[in-house]
Amino acid sequence: MKIENYHIGFVGFGHMAQILCRAIENARLIPRSQILFHRRDPAKAKQNEQDFGITATSLGHLMDKSDLLLICVRPNQAEFMLRDLAELNPSSKMFVSVMAGIQLSFLQKHLGSKAQIARVMPNIASSVAEGMSLLSFASHPSIEFRSLVNLLFGASGQTIEIAEQQMDIGCGMAGSGPGLVLELIEAMAKIGEKEGITYNKALQIAAQTFLGAAKLIQKGQLPRDLLQQIATPGGTTQAGLNVLRQEQIPEKLTSAIQASCRRSKEISDEYF
């Protein structure tokens, strides 16, 4: 079946669900008329209908009409929502969970072993079609399901499939990583402001510097090779790198990613 013929439903319609919905719309993958959502807050649901041009509905109707359901509720609402879904004969449906820390086995426990299930870790950059979405599938996903999930999340950036046991470190890198990078960009902008550049200009300089460096990597070059090119002995870049290494900034960044990874594991442990 062509992607434009699918009907999809959002279970929960918070920030990430809205980002994904916008990405699907902007990529013209699926018509609005084939997108439904369920949200428990009637006032917010009504506002979402006006803002996105899609229809809010009951959970039962959502399940009945959707080929694929995106579960976008908070992790602490997972068990409650999955129990409700389990009562609606979910075995013939496709499900994608974007809930941090919720393992595939927990989803299968409620949705059944016959349902097609994927776990996805998107990030905030999906809102500008530069996201990094990590995908992990339950056993024996169909070619159709795998392709559909990659297409949907590819509309908001890049996708990479990883084993589920790598999801926690993936959360630390891709899920929480933008927050760490934003902190570094802010620090760079602040020093520029301190030295007399206006904050807006300093922020533009910092953001473009990070973006440019990332694009060099995406073109296939390795960080260590690029560092050899630009960090000439006695030069300005080498002087800065010396301080970074003396202050153990790479190690501290590693520790920050590991802290996010541990928190992801803690969330998982709350359900097992």
Side-chain angles (χ1 to χ4, degrees), residues 98-267:
V98 300
M99 299 182 289
I102 305 301
Q103 295 183 10
L104 290 168
S105 58
F106 187 77
L107 296 168
Q108 288 178 307
K109 173 185 173 183
H110 292 278
L111 301 175
S113 59
K114 293 183 180 180
Q116 295 279 298
I117 302 173
R119 180 180 169 190
V120 179
M121 173 60 63
N123 67 21
I124 192 172
S126 298
S127 63
V128 291
E130 292 290 350
M132 181 70 263
S133 294
L134 306 180
L135 319 180
S136 184
F137 293 88
S139 57
H140 308 300
S142 67
I143 295 174
E144 173 195 17
F145 180 50
R146 177 172 266 143
S147 175
L148 179 58
V149 174
N150 273 282
L151 282 169
L152 287 175
F153 286 86
S156 59
Q158 296 187 27
T159 63
I160 289 181
E161 294 186 27
I162 61 174
E164 188 180 25
Q165 58 264 34
Q166 299 166 334
M167 251 318 168
D168 292 319
I169 188 61
C171 175
M173 293 172 65
S176 303
L180 306 181
V181 173
L182 290 169
E183 185 78 4
L184 296 174
I185 291 173
E186 176 75 352
M188 186 180 284
K190 286 293 187 182
I191 188 59
E193 183 183 34
K194 184 178 179 180
E195 294 297 325
I197 303 174
T198 64
Y199 176 74
N200 285 342
K201 288 182 177 180
L203 188 61
Q204 183 180 353
I205 292 168
Q208 181 59 37
T209 299
F210 273 74
L211 177 62
K215 285 192 172 182
L216 288 170
I217 304 301
Q218 289 183 329
K219 291 293 184 181
Q221 301 188 66
L222 296 175
R224 61 175 178 268
D225 294 335
L226 291 166
L227 285 169
Q228 287 180 352
Q229 294 176 30
I230 63 176
T232 55
T236 59
T237 300
Q238 189 61 59
L241 287 170
N242 289 342
V243 174
L244 281 179
R245 290 161 182 168
Q246 289 166 8
E247 297 293 330
Q248 297 185 314
I249 300 303
E251 289 82 2
K252 289 176 180 177
L253 180 60
T254 297
S255 296
I257 293 170
Q258 289 172 331
S260 295
C261 176
R262 284 194 300 272
R263 181 55 190 146
S264 179
K265 290 179 180 177
E266 289 169 358
I267 294 172

Side-chain angles (χ1 to χ4, degrees), residues 14-84:
H15 183 62
M16 186 52 68
Q18 291 173 28
I19 287 174
L20 295 173
C21 186
R22 286 285 188 214
I24 292 167
E25 179 185 359
N26 291 340
R28 298 183 178 181
L29 293 179
I30 296 172
R32 289 183 185 181
S33 60
Q34 291 163 213
I35 302 175
L36 299 172
F37 73 98
H38 172 73
R39 190 165 193 175
R40 291 194 297 173
D41 187 318
K44 289 182 178 179
K46 185 176 181 179
Q47 186 62 51
N48 294 149
E49 285 185 313
Q50 295 174 359
D51 292 342
F52 289 84
I54 59 177
T55 303
T57 188
S58 67
L59 192 61
H61 188 253
L62 188 80
M63 177 73 87
D64 183 53
K65 294 297 182 181
S66 301
D67 301 302
L68 180 144
L69 293 94
L70 292 132
I71 306 175
C72 303
V73 300
R74 294 176 181 175
N76 62 4
Q77 300 172 332
E79 187 161 18
F80 172 81
M81 184 58 69
L82 289 169
R83 284 178 177 173
D84 286 348

